[in-house]
Amino acid sequence: DRYTLWIDGVGAYLLFLKDQVTFGGPARDNEPADVALLANLSRRHATIVRGGEGYVLEAHAQTHVSGRTVDEKTYLSNNHDVRLGNNVELRFRMPSALSATARIDFESDHRPTQSVDGIILMEDTCLLGPGSDNHVQCHDWSESVVLFRKNDELWCKSRGDIFVDGTLVKDAARLRP
């Protein structure tokens, strides 16, 4: 349900396949949040849920979306600003109209306990490439790469040449953890 996506020359991203992802502060117990931020937040501060009508943020503690206080739930749209607690600032993005995958960027200096540049909430596909409509922008690439789910596994494909584990991919290739 959770992968670290490392792209040379671009960065690292937490990639989640599950429909619910919790955000919170660091915890000492066996049940930390999926994204444990190094900040003064409750253990389970908020949850983002992907459903049939898009993404819903469920607030469990002080949370604001685009300047509005969230008491229980609110729908998230592209470019919504999310503030957890007093000073953790995130940006919720859905850059592609062709995919229900979302990206969360860190707007404040608060980061997860694992060093990453962003978070991907992957639905069926995730687009990597040079265009602004990609979930992860790879400015130096000439073609986009599509990550997709197939039989509960992650696969990739591209119109251009790509190598997976040192082998040239002609059609699509399974990605191994």
Side-chain angles (χ1 to χ4, degrees):
D1 286 348
R2 173 184 170 153
Y3 295 89
T4 301
L5 178 63
W6 173 261
I7 304 167
D8 286 339
V10 176
Y13 297 84
L14 286 179
L15 185 136
F16 289 94
L17 300 178
K18 59 187 182 173
D19 294 335
Q20 293 188 28
V21 177
T22 58
F23 292 77
R28 296 182 191 184
D29 59 15
N30 292 336
E31 293 187 39
D34 295 314
V35 180
L37 297 161
L38 297 172
N40 187 19
L41 299 175
S42 62
R43 181 176 60 86
R44 294 194 182 269
H45 203 90
T47 302
I48 295 179
V49 180
R50 180 179 53 247
E53 295 185 28
Y55 289 86
V56 173
L57 182 136
E58 297 176 354
H60 310 300
Q62 180 186 1
T63 303
H64 294 82
V65 172
S66 294
R68 294 184 341 251
T69 300
V70 177
D71 293 321
E72 291 182 16
K73 297 180 182 180
T74 191
Y75 283 98
L76 293 173
S77 296
N78 188 38
N79 283 324
H80 267 166
D81 293 315
V82 176
R83 188 176 78 217
L84 305 176
N86 291 324
N87 50 13
V88 175
E89 301 282 343
L90 307 171
R91 165 94 26 103
F92 178 87
R93 295 184 47 232
M94 294 184 70
S96 174
L98 302 175
S99 173
T101 294
R103 173 180 168 153
I104 297 173
D105 293 319
F106 305 109
E107 297 294 314
S108 63
D109 291 333
H110 301 90
R111 297 290 186 271
T113 53
Q114 179 182 357
S115 180
V116 293
D117 298 296
I119 298 164
I120 306 293
L121 307 176
M122 186 173 160
E123 200 239 357
D124 288 329
T125 60
C126 180
L127 308 172
L128 317 173
S132 62
D133 59 340
N134 287 284
H135 299 101
V136 178
Q137 279 193 284
C138 307
H139 297 288
D140 295 336
W141 292 13
S142 59
E143 295 284 340
S144 291
V145 172
V146 179
L147 299 181
F148 61 98
R149 294 186 198 206
K150 180 179 176 182
N151 301 327
D152 294 326
E153 296 176 322
L154 279 179
W155 287 66
C156 69
K157 65 181 176 180
S158 177
R159 291 183 182 163
D161 289 342
I162 58 172
F163 289 83
V164 174
D165 295 329
T167 302
L168 179 63
V169 174
K170 292 295 184 188
D171 182 30
R174 183 176 66 90
L175 298 175
R176 294 182 296 194

